[in-house]
Amino acid sequence: MGAVPSTPRWGSELSQDTAEYLIGTFIGDKTFPVDSDYWQKLLELPFDLHWPANRVEQACETFARNNGSTRHLAKILIHLTWCLQELLSNPGAQSMASMKAVNASYISSVFLKYSIENLTSENLEDLYLSLDESETVKSNIRKDESIISMVMHAVLSYIGKVEISPKTYLLHHELLNFMLIAMSTQLLSGPSPGPNDVHPFIDAAMSEESSLVGLVVHKLLLNYITRPRSKSSSSYTLLSEENQLGVLKRVGSAAANIVLLPLSYFVNTSMEASRSQLADSSINILLILIHYRKCILVESVKSINASLTSESLLKDETYFAENPYCKALENVKDVEFDRVDIEGNAHSGPLVRLAFASLFDTLGMCLADETAVLLLYALVHGNSDFLEYVLVRTDIDTLLMPLLETLYDASRRTSNQIYMVLIILLILSQDASFNASIHKLILPSVPWYQERLLHQTSLGSLMVIILIRTVKYNMSKMRDVYLHTNCLAALANMAPHVHRLSSYASQRLVSLFDMLSRKYAKLAEIKNDKMLMIDSEPKDDDKLPEDMSAELHIYTDFLRIVLEILNAILTSALPRNPEVIYAIMHRQEVFQPFRNHPRFNELLENIFSVLDFFNSRMDAQKLDGEWSVEKVLQVINTNCRFWRGDGMKMFTQLRFTYEQESHPEEFFIPYVWQLVISRSGFSFNPGRINLFPVELPVEVSYGAVEGNPDQMLLTVKESVESSV
């Protein structure tokens, strides 16, 4: 091929032949030692050529064939490490050092991605990410340190320690893309992490010291909360090929279909749009890191009672290694808190200090996006300090309104997104102060609610309306027991604290009982018809289907929960809720069929005691003409003062708490990667994805997996507390 041309100066014209030669040499079968001048020439190459998709694919195929002997992927990762080490040790380094790091990161990303998704076996050693034993290297590469550990340490160090500025932005973005690709080995594994799964890059990230882990989590969160404050700029701006620089940039093939920003785009575009893209990349990486689980196999020998047998049993046991990034997120503290108080409290794992106010506001702005919902869930479930901060905010509507709007638009959302929103609401409803405060916050209007005008409605009333609406939607569309349970659990937690529930919310609450009762009656009728058929024409195979009996039992439980919700309002907050009394009186006939039901009769006794009291007060009124709503409410309000609750039975208060399943990774890891693939512009060979189902050979659609009751992370635990 001839001699390597002399190194061009940055910014000077470079012939296409020179660029073709340098790239061709990199993918070819000629080997260059890691300390050869060739690498400097390659990394100083100003990529300004455009290759069509088929050429990129061919280049990747050629590279994959030759990499086993040339080890060029390992060598360019070493040079990426050296470039980052130089920038870390000399923050004022020239732009050339930064651009070399950008080029090394980009070239590594393209060919590493192709190599991962086209492995011919499950053995990741086929990536050849080590040097040949005959290779002599500089003294600053330790023989006992793997190249993977070395490059991941350098990448994480740069991301965590170097501030983002116009000069460093492009490299930060390329390194986040590199991390995403390096961690994509997870797509090759099944949905349940096993001890044989190998993810060398992400395992290297997990082995970093806690101080660096804390810096990385802090920087990723900081990138997220410093995004532009407008919803319109929060989505990705995908660039056309004509506007992109680079011999391999944005070619649309599975080999290199990743969103990367050329320097010209960054310079010519607003900082806001760029910040938004960096924020999205950062949260993708953070979600992958915090949900990773390393499954480890341990062989333990357990001896059993010698009187039974003299043999010893060898049992394989697995456990999950602790995730330091998850711990770091759990330990995030508000920067506004006094440092002495924080340092005086014992904590495990890295400590991260962040402005909770900014994080709260950013989440409120972005909760229409599923990744933001996942981050909010991770924070309110795992970080007690952030949950406490959310609960004491007087503007809780900042978070609740977008969450409720998501439920309102359930038909246009994925089932997983609906589940996560409901779990967040359930977690918040476990707090009594939250349940009290949402009824004090009055909303002037709810513009996105189309069925009727909601004017001067409390946030608590809106939450009741939306949760009931979600139950109705679920009954007609999704028919998911877990979704019903979550909605009713949150309503039950709220019930004792209801204050001035609106007319519409009160009506919907009684309608919820009516809706569930009609479903129950239909199931009971089918059951009775089936039983009569069995009695009249007995056959050996005639029996009531188990799923029908189970469904009837489930709806019996749902009806009881709704009755307990009404009872909690009537026994704890009747004088404060005249509209609830009116709604029960207006639809009192819906309760009559269940008055003698063994599961409901005690609860209905209280409801009929209230009805008897207020009906008698109505009868005592001598009224000329018909009753109007206003006159009925006037009587109810007047007689609420005389209500003493005599004869009412006091039941133990229902309280539901959320508990995560024992193996949440089976839900979260596939879910996170589906979101990453659908939102990041990152594609992966669908034929190699084992992490979640992919329809082949049609073009893959990366929607969320529908909820499977056997695999869902949701467990609602009912605990009973004595009422005061």
Side-chain angles (χ1 to χ4, degrees):
M1 285 188 175
V4 177
S6 60
T7 303
R9 296 185 60 81
W10 181 255
S12 63
E13 288 191 12
L14 187 71
S15 71
Q16 179 170 336
D17 290 342
T18 302
E20 293 276 1
Y21 167 69
L22 290 173
I23 295 294
T25 302
F26 176 72
I27 67 176
D29 57 4
K30 185 176 181 180
T31 300
F32 282 97
V34 71
D35 54 0
S36 167
D37 290 342
Y38 162 78
W39 297 101
Q40 300 303 316
K41 295 175 173 60
L42 175 68
L43 297 181
E44 291 172 3
L45 177 65
F47 292 141
D48 56 358
L49 302 177
H50 293 274
W51 278 5
N54 65 318
R55 282 210 65 191
V56 177
E57 188 80 21
Q58 292 167 5
C60 289
E61 291 173 358
T62 303
F63 177 83
R65 286 198 304 270
N66 295 321
N67 184 51
S69 58
T70 64
R71 305 296 174 100
H72 279 179
L73 183 55
K75 293 170 185 176
I76 199 166
L77 290 179
I78 291 174
H79 279 276
L80 173 59
T81 303
W82 288 343
C83 290
L84 294 176
Q85 288 173 344
E86 179 183 352
L87 291 168
L88 285 166
S89 61
N90 182 16
Q94 297 178 353
S95 59
M96 176 61 76
S98 179
M99 191 51 62
K100 283 166 57 180
V102 168
N103 288 341
S105 177
Y106 185 78
I107 297 173
S108 301
S109 296
V110 171
F111 292 102
L112 176 62
K113 178 179 180 297
Y114 180 88
S115 300
I116 289 174
E117 64 184 346
N118 288 279
L119 284 172
T120 56
S121 69
E122 295 182 358
N123 187 1
L124 292 183
E125 290 183 1
D126 290 349
L127 295 176
Y128 301 106
L129 296 176
S130 61
L131 296 179
D132 190 275
E133 292 182 359
S134 61
E135 181 91 25
T136 57
V137 295
K138 296 179 181 178
S139 58
N140 60 346
I141 296 183
R142 299 202 333 250
K143 285 290 186 182
D144 59 342
E145 183 179 24
S146 73
I147 293 173
I148 292 174
S149 296
M150 187 173 66
V151 72
M152 285 303 288
H153 178 75
V155 169
L156 292 170
S157 296
Y158 189 90
I159 290 172
K161 297 177 181 179
V162 177
E163 295 300 317
I164 295 174
S165 69
K167 291 183 178 180
T168 65
Y169 170 82
L170 186 59
L171 181 53
H172 273 280
H173 193 90
E174 293 285 4
L175 293 177
L176 289 174
N177 277 322
F178 171 81
M179 283 192 65
L180 179 63
I181 288 163
M183 296 188 293
S184 68
T185 53
Q186 282 192 292
L187 292 168
L188 305 177
S189 300
S192 300
N196 295 325
D197 295 341
V198 180
H199 307 296
F201 287 96
I202 196 167
D203 285 339
M206 294 294 147
S207 65
E208 292 293 346
E209 294 182 358
S210 63
S211 58
L212 179 55
V213 169
L215 287 173
V216 171
V217 171
H218 177 265
K219 180 58 69 66
L220 294 175
L221 285 171
L222 198 61
N223 292 347
Y224 185 65
I225 65 177
T226 53
R227 67 189 304 141
R229 289 290 185 263
S230 66
K231 292 184 179 180
S232 61
S233 60
S234 63
S235 59
Y236 272 97
T237 304
L238 298 182
L239 308 178
S240 63
E241 288 189 33
E242 293 77 22
N243 293 330
Q244 295 195 44
L245 298 179
V247 67
L248 304 174
K249 300 280 183 179
R250 191 65 185 156
V251 293
S253 71
N257 186 16
I258 47 183
V259 176
L260 295 169
L261 298 180
L263 187 60
S264 61
Y265 177 72
F266 174 70
V267 171
N268 296 327
T269 310
S270 68
M271 174 66 85
E272 285 195 353
S274 300
R275 279 289 188 185
S276 179
Q277 294 198 336
L278 195 69
D280 289 335
S281 298
S282 296
I283 192 173
N284 286 337
I285 296 298
L286 181 61
L287 290 174
I288 292 171
L289 288 171
I290 65 173
H291 290 299
Y292 178 69
R293 294 294 180 270
K294 175 67 173 177
C295 186
I296 299 175
L297 181 68
V298 175
E299 292 184 351
S300 60
V301 179
K302 294 184 177 180
S303 299
I304 62 175
N305 195 308
S307 62
L308 298 177
T309 176
S310 59
E311 295 180 357
S312 296
L313 299 177
L314 184 65
K315 184 180 180 181
D316 291 338
E317 296 180 342
T318 59
Y319 69 94
F320 288 105
E322 188 175 82
N323 183 324
Y325 295 87
C326 186
K327 277 289 181 186
L329 192 70
E330 292 172 357
N331 286 329
V332 173
K333 306 291 182 183
D334 191 359
V335 73
E336 299 298 327
F337 273 83
D338 185 75
R339 183 181 295 272
V340 176
D341 291 341
I342 294 176
E343 292 178 349
N345 295 331
H347 63 273
S348 60
L351 179 62
V352 178
R353 295 170 59 82
L354 200 72
F356 278 1
S358 297
L359 184 56
F360 180 94
D361 292 340
T362 301
L363 286 168
M365 179 187 70
C366 300
L367 282 173
D369 183 73
E370 290 185 67
T371 54
V373 174
L374 271 179
L375 179 59
L376 178 59
Y377 165 79
L379 288 166
V380 299
H381 175 255
N383 189 311
S384 57
D385 285 347
F386 186 77
L387 175 59
E388 182 180 349
Y389 176 84
V390 169
L391 293 172
V392 300
R393 286 282 294 236
T394 57
D395 59 343
I396 188 66
D397 56 308
T398 301
L399 295 184
L400 277 193
M401 289 299 282
L403 293 176
L404 295 176
E405 186 177 0
T406 295
L407 294 182
Y408 179 79
D409 289 331
S411 62
R412 291 182 292 194
R413 308 294 184 182
T414 66
S415 59
N416 286 341
Q417 187 175 8
I418 297 171
Y419 290 133
M420 298 312 302
V421 170
L422 286 174
I423 292 168
I424 292 169
L425 295 179
L426 177 57
I427 292 172
L428 296 176
S429 74
Q430 293 169 194
D431 183 79
S433 64
F434 167 83
N435 294 323
S437 64
I438 57 176
H439 290 284
K440 297 175 184 176
L441 202 160
I442 304 300
L443 305 168
S445 64
V446 185
W448 44 262
Y449 195 90
Q450 300 295 315
E451 280 78 357
R452 63 182 295 161
L453 181 65
L454 297 181
H455 182 64
Q456 295 296 316
T457 300
S458 71
L459 183 59
S461 293
L462 179 63
M463 186 167 167
V464 169
I465 292 167
I466 296 299
L467 287 173
I468 293 171
R469 190 179 187 275
T470 305
V471 172
K472 184 178 180 181
Y473 169 76
N474 183 49
M475 286 186 67
S476 62
K477 301 293 183 182
M478 298 172 66
R479 300 178 183 177
D480 191 301
V481 171
Y482 287 88
L483 194 148
H484 273 337
T485 306
N486 270 284
C487 293
L488 295 178
L491 288 169
N493 288 345
M494 295 166 62
H497 310 278
V498 166
H499 183 85
R500 295 285 173 185
L501 197 66
S502 72
S503 170
Y504 184 50
S506 302
Q507 294 167 22
R508 301 310 299 156
L509 192 55
V510 176
S511 294
L512 173 62
F513 180 84
D514 182 37
M515 180 173 58
L516 293 171
S517 67
R518 282 188 274 111
K519 177 69 173 179
Y520 171 87
K522 184 177 180 180
L523 289 169
E525 182 181 356
I526 295 173
K527 177 183 177 181
N528 291 335
D529 290 345
K530 182 69 174 178
M531 294 299 293
L532 289 173
M533 187 182 301
I534 292 173
D535 291 340
S536 61
E537 300 179 10
K539 295 180 182 178
D540 292 339
D541 59 347
D542 267 337
K543 62 179 181 178
L544 190 68
E546 291 183 8
D547 56 347
M548 183 183 296
S549 295
E551 190 174 7
L552 186 62
H553 180 74
I554 288 168
Y555 275 90
T556 304
D557 289 342
F558 287 162
L559 278 172
R560 183 173 175 85
I561 293 175
V562 176
L563 289 175
E564 297 213 43
I565 291 169
L566 291 170
N567 264 267
I569 296 173
L570 296 177
T571 56
S572 303
L574 183 146
R576 304 194 302 271
N577 290 285
E579 293 286 359
V580 176
I581 300 168
Y582 177 86
I584 292 174
M585 293 178 68
H586 184 64
R587 300 288 306 279
Q588 53 190 289
E589 73 281 355
V590 303
F591 302 103
Q592 194 65 42
F594 299 93
R595 193 164 190 173
N596 297 320
H597 194 291
R599 287 289 307 277
F600 309 141
N601 56 353
E602 285 188 333
L603 292 164
L604 282 168
E605 282 181 21
N606 280 349
I607 291 177
F608 281 102
S609 292
V610 173
L611 284 170
D612 291 344
F613 176 85
F614 285 96
N615 282 333
S616 65
R617 297 303 189 274
M618 295 281 293
D619 293 340
Q621 298 288 323
K622 293 182 179 180
L623 182 69
D624 295 329
E626 295 185 359
W627 287 94
S628 66
V629 175
E630 291 75 15
K631 290 177 181 178
V632 174
L633 280 171
Q634 185 179 357
V635 172
I636 291 174
N637 275 306
T638 300
N639 287 280
C640 276
R641 305 171 194 167
F642 304 105
W643 171 260
R644 296 293 179 268
D646 297 336
M648 295 282 282
K649 291 185 178 180
M650 302 302 292
F651 297 96
T652 50
Q653 179 182 318
L654 273 187
R655 183 173 181 271
F656 292 87
T657 58
Y658 167 74
E659 288 186 351
Q660 201 176 68
E661 288 276 0
S662 57
H663 290 284
E665 67 283 343
E666 295 180 4
F667 172 85
F668 281 110
I669 294 176
Y671 184 25
V672 167
W673 274 103
Q674 286 168 332
L675 293 180
V676 167
I677 287 179
S678 65
R679 283 161 169 72
S680 67
F682 169 82
S683 72
F684 198 87
N685 182 354
R688 298 305 316 278
I689 295 177
N690 297 312
L691 186 60
F692 49 83
V694 178
E695 294 182 5
L696 295 174
V698 265
E699 187 174 350
V700 63
S701 174
Y702 295 104
V705 173
E706 294 298 323
N708 183 340
D710 296 329
Q711 296 180 347
M712 282 303 298
L713 75 162
L714 173 64
T715 298
V716 177
K717 179 183 178 183
E718 175 183 340
S719 61
V720 181
E721 298 180 347
S722 301
S723 31
V724 180

